[in-house]
Structures are given as structure tokens and as C-alpha cells.
Amino acid sequence: MNGAHFVTSPLQTRLIRLSEAISTWWPSWRNNPSGIVPTIQNIVSTVDLDCVLDLKHITLHSRNSEFFPKRFSAVIMRIKDPKTTALIFASGKMVCTGAKTEAQSKLAARKFARIIQKLGFPAKFRDFRIQNIVASCDVQFTIRLEKFACTSHGAFSTYEPELFPGLIYRMKQPKLVLLIFVSGKVVITGAKKRDDFYTAFDNIYSVLAEFKK
Amino acid sequence: MGDAFCSDCKRQTEVVFDHSAGDTVCSECGLVLESHSIDETSEWRTFANESGDNDPVRVGGPTNPLLADGGLSTVIAKPNGGSGEFLSSSLGRWQNRGSNPDRGLILAFKTIATMSDRLGLVATIKDRANEIYKRVEDQKSSRGRNQDALLAACLYIACRQEDKPRTVKEICSVANGATKKEIGRAKEYIVKQLGLETGQSVEMGTIHAGDFMRRFCSNLGMNNQAVKAAQEAVQKSEEFDIRRSPISIAAAVIYIITQLSEEKKPSLKDISGATGVAEGTIRNSYKDLYPHVLKIIPSWFAKEEDLKNLCSP
């Protein structure tokens, strides 16, 4: 296998797809020497229901929704399973938050769309897109944040102990934000795909190990 | 004495300059070639031993390269006391109505100067803050921002860049109306703008408790021994895993040192006022420091028994 070639053979493509699939339902299979894998805490997704909605009608005819037009111009609806919250706007666009996996987020969005359909609006399910995934993990050792901010990574880090106790690391590739705390806990946000934050955590783990306290 | 062309003699003739009358006279025929010449030498006498306070050679203040015209324009001041004079007050109004491209800048510089005066900062920091403000203003995107917070953040960054950091709470106390959160947000914004403008130039080290030690101690009137002990203690405390803001650690160390010294001990309230840290926070930081107190306090300052006498949190 030539390292310089960027064209992958069909066998390679199949292997890559297989590894991605396995990573989704068995995350620790990825080769991270520490064996630590970030757990997803929240997924935010949007979907277009493609029809104009009457928010007052929705609030009056459904149990678990609230609508205060003076405060915010959207209906806030909650369902118990999966435990999620949706913001439903009059234009027909909907934001779904609170799910723990991508499949759950899609399922919850479909449930909300079904509720809107049952209320009499011609709702469709267009452009389901995951906008943001938040994950957290623990590297199991305390970190020297001041030293970290002084090194060559200082260009990407912001550490202001007066303003916020964690170091804010804005990674360029993949483009997301990590909050790194002295206790060793790391919060990763801004990812659109699961793989993004796995890669990000792999990258940051090797760097953090140098700054163990 | 020189040569010039005389119109009567129609040739170059020797010409005499008469200083008392200011005339240039042709020596051959007596025709006055030029009169009323203006003497451009100085109008005063300068002595070697005279003070340089009112040196008449220079006029006006130092030029300010940040302003558009170098600060050369004249400003009519408002008369203080009873403004009975119609002319001077109208002149002031008419001048302000004119379009002055620098007016916002001058006002901002004045505000920064007031704030740095209240904090007792040197002129270097004030000039740096002015420079930072001008660089941010050049990019027009700061229109809708809270001006007070922006100016306070410029001052905060200037202090940091000169290695003489001031806590955000201290800057808050002299900035009229800006909260800690607003100043923090403005600071992030400025850092981003300056980073966009030049490659990656913004250099600001993280703050350490030791930077503030000297100032807090002198505000409380601690003696030299105590100040040195406090600085050493704070250096040693950085090795331990204490998860507190550096200012809170500094305040707690000051509390320990003052409790150990024989002189009059400032109460928690005094320390809270001098450092800006809440009393509850100092107590909690003291609880965090207490297990390591033996290793942190230098042995030449306090013996073990004194440390045992320290009240347990």
C-alpha cells in the first residue's frame, strides 16, 4: 500500500465503512490507547415540516406544550420517550433537542411530526439534519491548564481563570470546541458527526498526557 | 550686506540691510528696494541657567500619532463658573457642531485617561490602551457595542500586556456601569478582532496569584516580612492541586499570613474589600489550603506551633 496514493480501492472503502459501522455501536473498538471514549450528552437537530402552522391551535389541542408569544415566538413541546424537547415555529421549521443518540433524535423528530400531523396540519419530514452533538469524557488525571495555554497550542486556547474555570480549546480540524477542566473532565461540542468528536478526542488526549499534574 | 539688482542703477549693486528700519537700501543710489522686512529671529532671550518649564520655543502638547491630524487642531473650552459671556459659550457650541472625524476617539481617550487615573496606572499602560482602542475602532464592526465595556476591556488588556495585570473586579470598579460579564465578553471580542487584523499577535500570559500579591498586601498595610512570606507561599501553592481562582488563593494566603503575624490582623471584611473576593469564598479557599498549610508557609516566617494555633476551618 503506497502512502502517497489517495485513491482507495473498493476493498479499502468497504473496510472503512465497516469500521465506521462498528464504531457506532461499539465505540471502544477505535484504536485509542487509553480506551476512553466520549459519551454523548445531547444532540440538537432540525427538520422542516414544510407547512405553515397555527401555533395557538397546536397549544390548545396538545397536552405537553407551552407557548408564550411575548417571550418567544415558538411552541415548546416535550415528549417522554425519548425524553426530548422540540421548538416548533410558525414557518413549519422544528428544532429537536435532548436526545442521546442520532437514531433517537430522528425518532423523536418523527414523533413530533406525527403529533403535528394528528392535529390536522399536512406535515412532512424534510431535511432532517443533526446540527450539534455535545459529548463529555474523563481523562482520569489532573491537567496543568496554565502550562497548556503557554505552549504552541496557545493560539487555539483561551484560559481565563477569572472568567471561566475551564480552558476553551477551539480545534481547527475538525472544527469544534473543547472545554478542558483541571479535574481532567473534557466537554466536546460543535460536532456534526460522531466521528468528528472521536477524532478530536484522540487528538487532544495525546497532547493532554504531556501536561499531567 | 549683499548684492541685488537695483532698478535705478540697472545693474547688480551692493545692498545694505538696515535692521532698525527694516529696509534694504542700494548703496550706490540710495533707493529702498524692500521695506518692512519681518525679522524671524526669536522674540525672547534664552539664558543657560533658566528653568525649562516655560520654554517658549515649543508650543502645544506632544503630537498624538493616533489622532487623524496629529492633535494639531484647537479646541475651545467651556468657561467654568458663570458663563455670562455670550460669545464664548456660543463659540463652544459652534465648534462642536462641526464635523470632527476624531471626536469619538478623543472622547474615548479621555474616558480611558480618567479610568487609568483612578487606578493609578502609568502613562505606558494608558497609551497602550489608547492604541488598542484605535486598532479596534478601525474595524467598523464595533458600532453597537457597549462603549464603556469596550474601553474597560482595552484597559484590562493593556495592563495584561504590560505584565501588570489588574483583576476584572478592579477594572469594574472604575468603569462606570460595565459588569464583569460585559467586560469579559468585550475582551474576547477585542482579542478576536486583533487576531483577525494581524496574524496571531495577541500575547497575553495567564494570570498568577503572585502578580497581585504586592498590591493587595500594600493595600492592607502588611509589613515587608509578611509580604515576602506571602509571595513565597503563593509560589509554593501552585504545585498543589487547589482548584480555585488565583485571586481567591491569593486572598486566602493573605488571610493565613496575617493570622500568623503578631501585628494587628485585618478581618475577613478588610481582606475582602482589598482583594475584591467575597468573604465566603475566602473561607472556602482557606478550607482548601488548610491541609497544605505546613508545606506552603515558609519556615522562617512561622514555626510549627504557630501553624497549629491556626484556627481550623
Side-chain angles (χ1 to χ4, degrees):
Chain A
M1 295 269 185
N2 247 338
H5 280 233
F6 287 97
V7 175
T8 49
S9 65
L11 178 60
Q12 265 186 303
T13 325
R14 243 180 250 151
L15 279 176
I16 292 172
R17 289 238 181 84
L18 181 63
S19 73
E20 274 176 25
I22 298 180
S23 312
T24 316
W25 43 262
W26 188 10
S28 50
W29 185 78
R30 290 179 61 89
N31 24 342
N32 189 350
S34 61
I36 304 172
V37 151
T39 48
I40 298 184
Q41 303 292 347
N42 184 22
I43 297 186
V44 177
S45 54
T46 52
V47 75
D48 187 1
L49 300 175
D50 209 17
C51 68
V52 176
L53 301 172
D54 181 2
L55 298 183
K56 222 162 143 201
H57 184 262
I58 294 176
T59 335
L60 289 172
H61 293 265
S62 63
R63 280 177 158 242
N64 40 10
S65 50
E66 58 183 66
F67 178 46
F68 299 107
K70 284 205 192 116
R71 204 170 64 177
F72 189 55
S73 48
V75 169
I76 304 170
M77 196 184 288
R78 297 184 166 88
I79 54 175
K80 294 225 175 56
D81 165 54
K83 184 156 174 287
T84 46
T85 308
L87 305 172
I88 306 169
F89 291 84
S91 59
K93 298 238 172 50
M94 183 172 82
V95 179
C96 172
T97 59
K100 296 275 192 228
T101 67
E102 299 93 317
Q104 275 184 11
S105 190
K106 192 154 190 182
L107 177 65
R110 282 200 192 274
K111 286 195 178 174
F112 283 116
R114 187 92 187 97
I115 297 176
I116 302 289
Q117 244 178 15
K118 285 218 178 112
L119 286 172
F121 298 95
K124 293 176 216 48
F125 202 74
R126 267 187 42 186
D127 296 332
F128 175 79
R129 238 186 81 182
I130 294 184
Q131 302 288 356
N132 183 21
I133 307 180
V134 180
S136 71
C137 53
D138 188 359
V139 300
Q140 309 284 345
F141 52 81
T142 45
I143 309 171
R144 290 187 157 278
L145 294 180
E146 322 85 55
K147 291 275 171 5
F148 188 77
C150 286
T151 64
S152 55
H153 296 276
F156 311 112
S157 342
T158 312
Y159 179 46
E160 288 287 334
E162 275 184 283
L163 297 179
F164 186 62
L167 190 151
I168 305 171
Y169 189 94
R170 293 180 194 270
M171 199 178 271
K172 291 270 185 331
Q173 186 52 254
K175 185 168 180 294
L176 33 72
V177 176
L178 297 98
L179 304 175
I180 307 168
F181 294 88
V182 181
S183 56
K185 302 239 177 13
V186 178
V187 174
I188 308 170
T189 179
K192 293 248 185 335
K193 289 192 193 41
R194 190 180 275 261
D195 276 338
D196 286 347
F197 66 78
Y198 284 153
T199 329
F201 181 64
D202 291 342
N203 294 346
I204 206 75
Y205 188 80
S206 41
V207 175
L208 285 179
E210 295 171 26
F211 297 98
K212 207 185 288 212
K213 206 181 269 213
Chain B
M1 294 289 173
D3 281 0
F5 183 79
C6 171
S7 42
D8 266 3
C9 309
K10 303 266 193 302
R11 59 187 167 85
Q12 289 272 340
T13 49
E14 215 174 299
V15 153
V16 175
F17 184 70
D18 180 9
H19 290 269
S20 54
D23 295 337
T24 316
V25 184
C26 168
S27 53
E28 308 257 323
C29 61
L31 180 70
V32 173
L33 298 166
E34 277 174 47
S35 59
H36 303 295
S37 77
I38 298 173
D39 182 11
E40 286 169 18
T41 59
S42 70
E43 295 173 15
W44 54 83
R45 298 175 295 173
T46 326
F47 296 104
N49 61 345
E50 237 175 42
S51 72
D53 265 357
N54 56 345
D55 181 15
V57 174
R58 297 180 178 279
V59 286
T63 56
N64 194 344
L66 299 174
L67 297 172
D69 56 357
L72 287 175
S73 60
T74 309
V75 181
I76 298 175
K78 226 172 40 165
N80 52 357
S83 74
E85 279 284 334
F86 166 73
L87 192 61
S88 53
S89 58
S90 320
L91 275 177
R93 257 183 283 132
W94 288 332
Q95 153 142 96
N96 278 336
R97 218 166 281 154
S99 67
N100 189 357
D102 278 340
R103 192 153 9 124
L105 265 184
I106 295 181
L107 190 61
F109 289 171
K110 222 199 268 187
T111 321
I112 291 181
T114 324
M115 286 199 289
S116 72
D117 250 353
R118 286 202 212 135
L119 282 174
L121 298 173
V122 286
T124 329
I125 298 181
K126 182 173 64 105
D127 290 334
R128 211 176 243 253
N130 284 346
E131 210 185 293
I132 294 173
Y133 179 75
K134 173 128 208 293
R135 276 164 72 184
V136 170
E137 264 300 299
D138 279 344
Q139 307 167 16
K140 312 283 183 177
S141 43
S142 66
R143 281 297 109 174
R145 294 230 145 217
N146 184 350
Q147 276 290 74
D148 286 325
L150 200 65
L151 295 167
C154 283
L155 198 59
Y156 176 76
I157 295 177
C159 293
R160 271 279 274 270
Q161 286 188 324
E162 294 283 326
D163 283 324
K164 299 178 176 64
R166 297 288 185 274
T167 63
V168 188
K169 286 204 175 135
E170 285 175 316
I171 304 271
C172 240
S173 64
V174 298
N176 38 353
T179 62
K180 194 168 177 220
K181 206 165 164 188
E182 286 168 7
I183 299 182
R185 281 227 194 98
K187 181 218 159 235
E188 295 288 315
Y189 170 76
I190 294 177
V191 167
K192 194 173 73 150
Q193 290 294 328
L194 294 181
L196 279 181
E197 196 198 8
T198 67
Q200 304 265 342
S201 80
V202 187
E203 262 303 320
M204 275 195 302
T206 33
I207 55 172
H208 299 281
D211 301 333
F212 304 96
M213 237 8 179
R214 217 132 211 325
R215 219 168 345 112
F216 291 164
C217 292
S218 64
N219 282 350
L220 287 164
M222 290 160 62
N223 59 358
N224 265 337
Q225 283 263 8
V227 175
K228 264 188 19 203
Q231 278 171 326
E232 269 187 44
V234 144
Q235 292 276 25
K236 291 226 193 81
S237 75
E238 283 188 9
E239 293 157 29
F240 297 102
D241 179 21
I242 310 167
R243 301 180 189 171
R244 291 252 158 218
S245 159
I247 320 286
S248 316
I249 297 182
V253 163
I254 290 182
Y255 177 66
I256 295 176
I257 297 279
T258 51
Q259 294 297 100
L260 286 174
S261 70
E262 271 92 43
E263 297 188 356
K264 70 162 181 71
K265 305 175 189 184
S267 65
L268 265 181
K269 204 160 150 205
D270 299 329
I271 302 185
S272 166
T275 58
V277 184
E279 287 183 40
T281 313
I282 305 182
R283 260 189 232 116
N284 284 336
S285 309
Y286 176 62
K287 271 190 216 148
D288 289 339
L289 270 184
Y290 190 74
H292 310 288
V293 73
L294 274 171
K295 295 166 230 146
I296 293 181
I297 307 288
S299 45
W300 53 264
F301 182 72
K303 314 287 179 304
E304 299 237 352
E305 319 84 56
D306 302 331
L307 290 171
K308 299 243 177 27
N309 285 341
L310 262 184
C311 54
S312 168

